[in-house]
Amino acid sequence: MKFGTKVIHGGLKPDESTGAIMTPIYQTSTYIQDGIGNHRGYEYSRTQNPTRHALERNLASIENGKHGACFGSGLAAIDCVIKMLNPGDEVISTNDLYGGTFRIFTSIFEKYGIKFHFVGMTDTSAVEAKVNEKTKLIWVETPTNPMMNIVDIEAMSVVAKNAGALLAVDNTFATPYLQNPLDLGADIVMHSVTKYLGGHSDVVMGALITSDDDIAEEIYRIQNSSGAVTAPMDSFLVLRGIKTLHLRIDRHCENGEKVAKYLVDHPKVDKVYWPGFESHPNHNIAEKQMRGFGGMISFSLVSDKLKDAHSVVSKTKVFALAESLGGVESLIGHPATMTHASIPKEEREKIGVSESLIRLSVGVEDVEDLIDDLNQALS
Ligand SMILES: *Cc1c(COP(=O)(O)O)cnc(C)c1O
């Protein structure tokens, strides 16, 4: 099955009891048992729910994996992966990580004795230099947020295999339509489903996908034991959102390219970070592992003043000032004071999150309106 067929049919079948073509919302906490120990595969909705189960199968299908698991948020999915580790274990991760991921690693799990190393992952040898016998997980995010660095997933999978560690990839920015980490050697794919998969800014959800039966068993054990599951209604909304993923991402990519090219030529804009540019330092890796470059763009201003960046983000009318990304509507944000405020200033500036850095989630509106909007805000 090809991608556009999988988003609509992958792992799904019409409801057996009624023939309903859309997966029903099984808004139930429990299930009648025919006798003690004799049930129909569902006992209690923390453990399993038919609507969530349908979504988990669909996600596994579009990521070319075998097993999917959905959580109450992207961070709850990350929480599950780290709970697979033990005190004393070490994790190597990127130094321009999503702010919330950095926060859960350092402010929640460090105190349980797990050690996190943050390195520039575009340099494979920098990752290798941190590997030791305690390394149990390599955590990759690519493209990274908000600097749009591209990490070579295949190269990281070699480092992970040699270290005897698992490789997990946060595939939120690329989506399974543009990039499939499991095919490139990753053991676990993580998504903030909140973003492009849901696609309509109406659900908060996370997911993990794997092809490894043992890893899946451990994920389901933690999902059930910690209980950070997602609701049937939200599962239904995401199943619906995913059906148009390929159509939406095509438009996000098309609009993203036009907006990035517009920004590059603007006299008030300094740097534009978008992996589709040949001048992007990791463009060749993006070409190798992605099928398109997406609609996420960051840019800095010639005037590196906080007040000028704040002025631009407060003047746009079509681009809404908001956290988050990946919905049909365009959003604008200021990482240093919004998404990345939880990262210390010195750390932030080291990785390029300057005071004037602005991040765009380019939506699927008419691109002329988006460019007109940026034009008036920048002038
Ligand atoms: C939003 C996001 C997360 C966290 O997901 P939530 O659904 O907000 O918990 C993790 N990684 C990336 C790249 C994200 O954009």
Side-chain angles (χ1 to χ4, degrees), residues 45-86:
S45 281
R46 170 164 31 73
T47 319
Q48 197 47 282
N49 171 280
T51 317
R52 189 178 96 215
H53 194 193
L55 172 60
E56 291 174 339
R57 290 194 309 265
N58 184 243
L59 283 167
S61 161
I62 63 175
E63 268 296 8
N64 302 335
K66 246 172 95 181
H67 311 279
C70 290
F71 296 84
S73 69
L75 281 167
I78 296 170
D79 179 85
C80 174
V81 176
I82 307 304
K83 282 177 177 164
M84 293 170 73
L85 305 177
N86 292 304

mmCIF file of all heavy atoms in Angstrom, residues 45-86:
data_model
loop_
_atom_site.group_PDB
_atom_site.id
_atom_site.type_symbol
_atom_site.label_atom_id
_atom_site.label_comp_id
_atom_site.label_asym_id
_atom_site.label_seq_id
_atom_site.Cartn_x
_atom_site.Cartn_y
_atom_site.Cartn_z
ATOM 1 N N SER A 45 -10.430 0.501 29.735
ATOM 2 C CA SER A 45 -9.935 1.410 28.697
ATOM 3 C C SER A 45 -8.584 2.057 28.976
ATOM 4 O O SER A 45 -8.010 2.676 28.083
ATOM 5 C CB SER A 45 -10.980 2.479 28.369
ATOM 6 O OG SER A 45 -11.970 1.912 27.522
ATOM 7 N N ARG A 46 -8.049 1.933 30.198
ATOM 8 C CA ARG A 46 -6.656 2.371 30.355
ATOM 9 C C ARG A 46 -5.755 1.406 29.589
ATOM 10 O O ARG A 46 -4.816 1.803 28.923
ATOM 11 C CB ARG A 46 -6.253 2.451 31.832
ATOM 12 C CG ARG A 46 -4.741 2.658 31.989
ATOM 13 C CD ARG A 46 -4.264 3.129 33.350
ATOM 14 N NE ARG A 46 -5.033 2.698 34.485
ATOM 15 C CZ ARG A 46 -5.036 1.452 34.977
ATOM 16 N NH1 ARG A 46 -4.291 0.513 34.435
ATOM 17 N NH2 ARG A 46 -5.783 1.165 36.011
ATOM 18 N N THR A 47 -6.098 0.113 29.692
ATOM 19 C CA THR A 47 -5.298 -0.920 29.050
ATOM 20 C C THR A 47 -5.529 -0.935 27.534
ATOM 21 O O THR A 47 -4.573 -0.979 26.764
ATOM 22 C CB THR A 47 -5.660 -2.300 29.637
ATOM 23 O OG1 THR A 47 -5.833 -2.167 31.043
ATOM 24 C CG2 THR A 47 -4.604 -3.335 29.326
ATOM 25 N N GLN A 48 -6.788 -0.888 27.125
ATOM 26 C CA GLN A 48 -7.068 -0.903 25.697
ATOM 27 C C GLN A 48 -8.472 -0.384 25.414
ATOM 28 O O GLN A 48 -9.393 -0.637 26.175
ATOM 29 C CB GLN A 48 -6.885 -2.331 25.130
ATOM 30 C CG GLN A 48 -6.749 -2.409 23.638
ATOM 31 C CD GLN A 48 -5.759 -1.403 23.048
ATOM 32 O OE1 GLN A 48 -6.090 -0.227 22.904
ATOM 33 N NE2 GLN A 48 -4.565 -1.860 22.683
ATOM 34 N N ASN A 49 -8.593 0.346 24.311
ATOM 35 C CA ASN A 49 -9.880 0.899 23.894
ATOM 36 C C ASN A 49 -9.940 0.778 22.369
ATOM 37 O O ASN A 49 -8.943 1.061 21.697
ATOM 38 C CB ASN A 49 -9.960 2.368 24.350
ATOM 39 C CG ASN A 49 -11.173 3.069 23.776
ATOM 40 O OD1 ASN A 49 -11.183 3.494 22.624
ATOM 41 N ND2 ASN A 49 -12.215 3.187 24.573
ATOM 42 N N PRO A 50 -11.064 0.355 21.817
ATOM 43 C CA PRO A 50 -11.116 0.091 20.372
ATOM 44 C C PRO A 50 -10.803 1.307 19.487
ATOM 45 O O PRO A 50 -10.179 1.160 18.432
ATOM 46 C CB PRO A 50 -12.555 -0.384 20.146
ATOM 47 C CG PRO A 50 -13.041 -0.838 21.480
ATOM 48 C CD PRO A 50 -12.323 -0.015 22.500
ATOM 49 N N THR A 51 -11.230 2.500 19.906
ATOM 50 C CA THR A 51 -10.957 3.686 19.070
ATOM 51 C C THR A 51 -9.463 3.994 19.105
ATOM 52 O O THR A 51 -8.843 4.254 18.066
ATOM 53 C CB THR A 51 -11.765 4.908 19.554
ATOM 54 O OG1 THR A 51 -13.087 4.502 19.866
ATOM 55 C CG2 THR A 51 -11.781 5.991 18.491
ATOM 56 N N ARG A 52 -8.898 3.953 20.306
ATOM 57 C CA ARG A 52 -7.453 4.188 20.431
ATOM 58 C C ARG A 52 -6.677 3.101 19.696
ATOM 59 O O ARG A 52 -5.704 3.391 18.995
ATOM 60 C CB ARG A 52 -7.075 4.177 21.919
ATOM 61 C CG ARG A 52 -5.659 4.623 22.183
ATOM 62 C CD ARG A 52 -5.368 4.623 23.671
ATOM 63 N NE ARG A 52 -4.720 3.411 24.107
ATOM 64 C CZ ARG A 52 -4.918 2.823 25.295
ATOM 65 N NH1 ARG A 52 -5.778 3.328 26.162
ATOM 66 N NH2 ARG A 52 -4.274 1.730 25.615
ATOM 67 N N HIS A 53 -7.138 1.878 19.823
ATOM 68 C CA HIS A 53 -6.465 0.757 19.175
ATOM 69 C C HIS A 53 -6.431 0.944 17.654
ATOM 70 O O HIS A 53 -5.409 0.707 17.001
ATOM 71 C CB HIS A 53 -7.218 -0.535 19.552
ATOM 72 C CG HIS A 53 -6.470 -1.786 19.244
ATOM 73 N ND1 HIS A 53 -7.056 -3.020 19.260
ATOM 74 C CD2 HIS A 53 -5.180 -2.004 18.879
ATOM 75 C CE1 HIS A 53 -6.166 -3.938 18.935
ATOM 76 N NE2 HIS A 53 -5.026 -3.347 18.696
ATOM 77 N N ALA A 54 -7.535 1.415 17.083
ATOM 78 C CA ALA A 54 -7.592 1.663 15.636
ATOM 79 C C ALA A 54 -6.546 2.714 15.246
ATOM 80 O O ALA A 54 -5.812 2.560 14.266
ATOM 81 C CB ALA A 54 -8.991 2.113 15.234
ATOM 82 N N LEU A 55 -6.464 3.767 16.040
ATOM 83 C CA LEU A 55 -5.479 4.816 15.751
ATOM 84 C C LEU A 55 -4.054 4.272 15.889
ATOM 85 O O LEU A 55 -3.179 4.577 15.065
ATOM 86 C CB LEU A 55 -5.689 6.007 16.698
ATOM 87 C CG LEU A 55 -4.619 7.107 16.636
ATOM 88 C CD1 LEU A 55 -4.537 7.710 15.234
ATOM 89 C CD2 LEU A 55 -4.912 8.195 17.664
ATOM 90 N N GLU A 56 -3.820 3.448 16.897
ATOM 91 C CA GLU A 56 -2.478 2.889 17.101
ATOM 92 C C GLU A 56 -2.069 2.013 15.914
ATOM 93 O O GLU A 56 -0.915 2.056 15.463
ATOM 94 C CB GLU A 56 -2.435 2.105 18.429
ATOM 95 C CG GLU A 56 -2.546 3.050 19.634
ATOM 96 C CD GLU A 56 -2.659 2.365 20.995
ATOM 97 O OE1 GLU A 56 -3.042 1.178 21.050
ATOM 98 O OE2 GLU A 56 -2.369 3.014 22.013
ATOM 99 N N ARG A 57 -3.014 1.264 15.374
ATOM 100 C CA ARG A 57 -2.717 0.433 14.185
ATOM 101 C C ARG A 57 -2.456 1.312 12.970
ATOM 102 O O ARG A 57 -1.563 1.059 12.160
ATOM 103 C CB ARG A 57 -3.883 -0.520 13.896
ATOM 104 C CG ARG A 57 -4.052 -1.645 14.904
ATOM 105 C CD ARG A 57 -5.000 -2.728 14.352
ATOM 106 N NE ARG A 57 -6.259 -2.171 13.857
ATOM 107 C CZ ARG A 57 -7.381 -2.094 14.579
ATOM 108 N NH1 ARG A 57 -7.422 -2.528 15.822
ATOM 109 N NH2 ARG A 57 -8.470 -1.569 14.048
ATOM 110 N N ASN A 58 -3.243 2.373 12.833
ATOM 111 C CA ASN A 58 -3.088 3.284 11.702
ATOM 112 C C ASN A 58 -1.727 3.989 11.753
ATOM 113 O O ASN A 58 -1.025 4.093 10.729
ATOM 114 C CB ASN A 58 -4.240 4.296 11.708
ATOM 115 C CG ASN A 58 -4.233 5.228 10.507
ATOM 116 O OD1 ASN A 58 -4.088 6.428 10.664
ATOM 117 N ND2 ASN A 58 -4.376 4.694 9.309
ATOM 118 N N LEU A 59 -1.327 4.433 12.944
ATOM 119 C CA LEU A 59 -0.027 5.097 13.095
ATOM 120 C C LEU A 59 1.124 4.134 12.777
ATOM 121 O O LEU A 59 2.089 4.512 12.119
ATOM 122 C CB LEU A 59 0.135 5.640 14.523
ATOM 123 C CG LEU A 59 -0.635 6.922 14.830
ATOM 124 C CD1 LEU A 59 -0.647 7.183 16.326
ATOM 125 C CD2 LEU A 59 -0.028 8.111 14.086
ATOM 126 N N ALA A 60 0.997 2.880 13.248
ATOM 127 C CA ALA A 60 2.037 1.893 12.956
ATOM 128 C C ALA A 60 2.138 1.722 11.445
ATOM 129 O O ALA A 60 3.237 1.687 10.878
ATOM 130 C CB ALA A 60 1.712 0.564 13.633
ATOM 131 N N SER A 61 1.000 1.673 10.789
ATOM 132 C CA SER A 61 0.981 1.485 9.336
ATOM 133 C C SER A 61 1.689 2.636 8.601
ATOM 134 O O SER A 61 2.538 2.398 7.736
ATOM 135 C CB SER A 61 -0.473 1.346 8.880
ATOM 136 O OG SER A 61 -0.594 1.598 7.508
ATOM 137 N N ILE A 62 1.392 3.884 8.958
ATOM 138 C CA ILE A 62 1.979 4.994 8.199
ATOM 139 C C ILE A 62 3.445 5.233 8.547
ATOM 140 O O ILE A 62 4.166 5.866 7.787
ATOM 141 C CB ILE A 62 1.155 6.309 8.317
ATOM 142 C CG1 ILE A 62 1.106 6.847 9.749
ATOM 143 C CG2 ILE A 62 -0.252 6.101 7.780
ATOM 144 C CD1 ILE A 62 0.398 8.194 9.856
ATOM 145 N N GLU A 63 3.908 4.692 9.689
ATOM 146 C CA GLU A 63 5.339 4.810 10.024
ATOM 147 C C GLU A 63 6.118 3.562 9.612
ATOM 148 O O GLU A 63 7.279 3.402 9.992
ATOM 149 C CB GLU A 63 5.542 5.064 11.519
ATOM 150 C CG GLU A 63 5.610 6.524 11.944
ATOM 151 C CD GLU A 63 6.796 7.322 11.395
ATOM 152 O OE1 GLU A 63 7.548 6.819 10.532
ATOM 153 O OE2 GLU A 63 6.959 8.478 11.813
ATOM 154 N N ASN A 64 5.488 2.655 8.865
ATOM 155 C CA ASN A 64 6.133 1.399 8.465
ATOM 156 C C ASN A 64 6.621 0.601 9.674
ATOM 157 O O ASN A 64 7.688 -0.007 9.647
ATOM 158 C CB ASN A 64 7.306 1.647 7.503
ATOM 159 C CG ASN A 64 6.857 2.379 6.253
ATOM 160 O OD1 ASN A 64 5.692 2.314 5.876
ATOM 161 N ND2 ASN A 64 7.780 3.089 5.606
ATOM 162 N N GLY A 65 5.823 0.646 10.750
ATOM 163 C CA GLY A 65 6.144 -0.113 11.960
ATOM 164 C C GLY A 65 5.119 -1.204 12.205
ATOM 165 O O GLY A 65 4.173 -1.371 11.417
ATOM 166 N N LYS A 66 5.317 -1.932 13.301
ATOM 167 C CA LYS A 66 4.391 -3.027 13.621
ATOM 168 C C LYS A 66 3.439 -2.664 14.759
ATOM 169 O O LYS A 66 2.307 -3.120 14.787
ATOM 170 C CB LYS A 66 5.221 -4.256 14.068
ATOM 171 C CG LYS A 66 5.133 -5.423 13.113
ATOM 172 C CD LYS A 66 6.119 -6.504 13.505
ATOM 173 C CE LYS A 66 5.479 -7.582 14.367
ATOM 174 N NZ LYS A 66 6.473 -8.612 14.760
ATOM 175 N N HIS A 67 3.946 -1.840 15.708
ATOM 176 C CA HIS A 67 3.151 -1.543 16.898
ATOM 177 C C HIS A 67 3.094 -0.038 17.145
ATOM 178 O O HIS A 67 4.105 0.638 17.020
ATOM 179 C CB HIS A 67 3.792 -2.175 18.137
ATOM 180 C CG HIS A 67 4.148 -3.623 17.968
ATOM 181 N ND1 HIS A 67 3.225 -4.631 18.107
ATOM 182 C CD2 HIS A 67 5.324 -4.224 17.651
ATOM 183 C CE1 HIS A 67 3.837 -5.801 17.897
ATOM 184 N NE2 HIS A 67 5.106 -5.582 17.615
ATOM 185 N N GLY A 68 1.918 0.449 17.541
ATOM 186 C CA GLY A 68 1.774 1.857 17.909
ATOM 187 C C GLY A 68 1.190 1.959 19.300
ATOM 188 O O GLY A 68 0.470 1.059 19.745
ATOM 189 N N ALA A 69 1.510 3.044 20.006
ATOM 190 C CA ALA A 69 0.932 3.272 21.324
ATOM 191 C C ALA A 69 0.675 4.767 21.468
ATOM 192 O O ALA A 69 1.562 5.578 21.180
ATOM 193 C CB ALA A 69 1.894 2.801 22.416
ATOM 194 N N CYS A 70 -0.540 5.125 21.897
ATOM 195 C CA CYS A 70 -0.885 6.548 22.011
ATOM 196 C C CYS A 70 -0.968 6.986 23.462
ATOM 197 O O CYS A 70 -1.399 6.235 24.332
ATOM 198 C CB CYS A 70 -2.210 6.819 21.308
ATOM 199 S SG CYS A 70 -2.047 6.682 19.533
ATOM 200 N N PHE A 71 -0.577 8.215 23.689
ATOM 201 C CA PHE A 71 -0.468 8.783 25.038
ATOM 202 C C PHE A 71 -1.201 10.121 25.106
ATOM 203 O O PHE A 71 -1.510 10.718 24.071
ATOM 204 C CB PHE A 71 1.013 8.984 25.387
ATOM 205 C CG PHE A 71 1.776 7.690 25.446
ATOM 206 C CD1 PHE A 71 2.289 7.112 24.287
ATOM 207 C CD2 PHE A 71 1.957 7.016 26.647
ATOM 208 C CE1 PHE A 71 2.970 5.902 24.322
ATOM 209 C CE2 PHE A 71 2.634 5.806 26.698
ATOM 210 C CZ PHE A 71 3.141 5.247 25.537
ATOM 211 N N GLY A 72 -1.386 10.600 26.331
ATOM 212 C CA GLY A 72 -2.113 11.839 26.559
ATOM 213 C C GLY A 72 -1.428 13.089 26.035
ATOM 214 O O GLY A 72 -2.052 14.141 25.905
ATOM 215 N N SER A 73 -0.146 13.004 25.703
ATOM 216 C CA SER A 73 0.581 14.123 25.089
ATOM 217 C C SER A 73 1.895 13.581 24.534
ATOM 218 O O SER A 73 2.281 12.444 24.857
ATOM 219 C CB SER A 73 0.874 15.227 26.119
ATOM 220 O OG SER A 73 1.824 14.778 27.059
ATOM 221 N N GLY A 74 2.560 14.403 23.746
ATOM 222 C CA GLY A 74 3.874 14.005 23.249
ATOM 223 C C GLY A 74 4.827 13.754 24.413
ATOM 224 O O GLY A 74 5.613 12.803 24.403
ATOM 225 N N LEU A 75 4.734 14.608 25.432
ATOM 226 C CA LEU A 75 5.637 14.442 26.569
ATOM 227 C C LEU A 75 5.348 13.163 27.352
ATOM 228 O O LEU A 75 6.265 12.534 27.877
ATOM 229 C CB LEU A 75 5.579 15.677 27.475
ATOM 230 C CG LEU A 75 6.412 16.821 26.899
ATOM 231 C CD1 LEU A 75 6.117 18.128 27.591
ATOM 232 C CD2 LEU A 75 7.904 16.504 26.976
ATOM 233 N N ALA A 76 4.090 12.743 27.397
ATOM 234 C CA ALA A 76 3.766 11.477 28.061
ATOM 235 C C ALA A 76 4.379 10.310 27.279
ATOM 236 O O ALA A 76 4.784 9.304 27.875
ATOM 237 C CB ALA A 76 2.253 11.310 28.184
ATOM 238 N N ALA A 77 4.481 10.450 25.966
ATOM 239 C CA ALA A 77 5.129 9.408 25.149
ATOM 240 C C ALA A 77 6.632 9.377 25.438
ATOM 241 O O ALA A 77 7.240 8.309 25.581
ATOM 242 C CB ALA A 77 4.867 9.663 23.664
ATOM 243 N N ILE A 78 7.236 10.559 25.561
ATOM 244 C CA ILE A 78 8.669 10.647 25.888
ATOM 245 C C ILE A 78 8.913 10.070 27.286
ATOM 246 O O ILE A 78 9.854 9.302 27.515
ATOM 247 C CB ILE A 78 9.148 12.122 25.809
ATOM 248 C CG1 ILE A 78 9.020 12.629 24.368
ATOM 249 C CG2 ILE A 78 10.584 12.262 26.321
ATOM 250 C CD1 ILE A 78 9.237 14.129 24.199
ATOM 251 N N ASP A 79 8.039 10.410 28.214
ATOM 252 C CA ASP A 79 8.100 9.903 29.590
ATOM 253 C C ASP A 79 8.148 8.368 29.575
ATOM 254 O O ASP A 79 8.933 7.754 30.309
ATOM 255 C CB ASP A 79 6.839 10.413 30.312
ATOM 256 C CG ASP A 79 6.718 9.957 31.744
ATOM 257 O OD1 ASP A 79 7.312 10.623 32.608
ATOM 258 O OD2 ASP A 79 6.038 8.952 32.000
ATOM 259 N N CYS A 80 7.353 7.756 28.717
ATOM 260 C CA CYS A 80 7.321 6.288 28.617
ATOM 261 C C CYS A 80 8.673 5.749 28.158
ATOM 262 O O CYS A 80 9.174 4.767 28.726
ATOM 263 C CB CYS A 80 6.215 5.870 27.652
ATOM 264 S SG CYS A 80 6.192 4.090 27.304
ATOM 265 N N VAL A 81 9.275 6.393 27.157
ATOM 266 C CA VAL A 81 10.568 5.892 26.651
ATOM 267 C C VAL A 81 11.628 5.956 27.750
ATOM 268 O O VAL A 81 12.385 5.005 27.950
ATOM 269 C CB VAL A 81 11.030 6.696 25.412
ATOM 270 C CG1 VAL A 81 12.414 6.234 24.961
ATOM 271 C CG2 VAL A 81 10.032 6.540 24.266
ATOM 272 N N ILE A 82 11.676 7.072 28.483
ATOM 273 C CA ILE A 82 12.715 7.203 29.514
ATOM 274 C C ILE A 82 12.460 6.221 30.664
ATOM 275 O O ILE A 82 13.404 5.743 31.297
ATOM 276 C CB ILE A 82 12.838 8.668 30.021
ATOM 277 C CG1 ILE A 82 13.034 9.621 28.832
ATOM 278 C CG2 ILE A 82 14.013 8.812 30.997
ATOM 279 C CD1 ILE A 82 14.211 9.328 27.932
ATOM 280 N N LYS A 83 11.207 5.881 30.910
ATOM 281 C CA LYS A 83 10.893 4.902 31.958
ATOM 282 C C LYS A 83 11.338 3.487 31.592
ATOM 283 O O LYS A 83 11.313 2.587 32.432
ATOM 284 C CB LYS A 83 9.405 4.928 32.287
ATOM 285 C CG LYS A 83 9.019 6.096 33.172
ATOM 286 C CD LYS A 83 7.516 6.123 33.405
ATOM 287 C CE LYS A 83 7.142 7.254 34.345
ATOM 288 N NZ LYS A 83 5.683 7.527 34.264
ATOM 289 N N MET A 84 11.749 3.273 30.353
ATOM 290 C CA MET A 84 12.319 1.976 29.975
ATOM 291 C C MET A 84 13.746 1.827 30.520
ATOM 292 O O MET A 84 14.305 0.738 30.521
ATOM 293 C CB MET A 84 12.343 1.834 28.440
ATOM 294 C CG MET A 84 10.947 1.742 27.824
ATOM 295 S SD MET A 84 10.958 1.871 26.024
ATOM 296 C CE MET A 84 11.632 0.285 25.602
ATOM 297 N N LEU A 85 14.324 2.966 30.961
ATOM 298 C CA LEU A 85 15.717 2.954 31.435
ATOM 299 C C LEU A 85 15.785 2.700 32.941
ATOM 300 O O LEU A 85 14.767 2.704 33.635
ATOM 301 C CB LEU A 85 16.387 4.295 31.106
ATOM 302 C CG LEU A 85 16.344 4.729 29.635
ATOM 303 C CD1 LEU A 85 16.973 6.101 29.480
ATOM 304 C CD2 LEU A 85 17.029 3.710 28.738
ATOM 305 N N ASN A 86 17.001 2.514 33.438
ATOM 306 C CA ASN A 86 17.241 2.292 34.868
ATOM 307 C C ASN A 86 18.190 3.358 35.410
ATOM 308 O O ASN A 86 18.963 3.949 34.643
ATOM 309 C CB ASN A 86 17.878 0.920 35.090
ATOM 310 C CG ASN A 86 16.905 -0.194 34.754
ATOM 311 O OD1 ASN A 86 15.801 -0.255 35.295
ATOM 312 N ND2 ASN A 86 17.291 -1.062 33.837
#
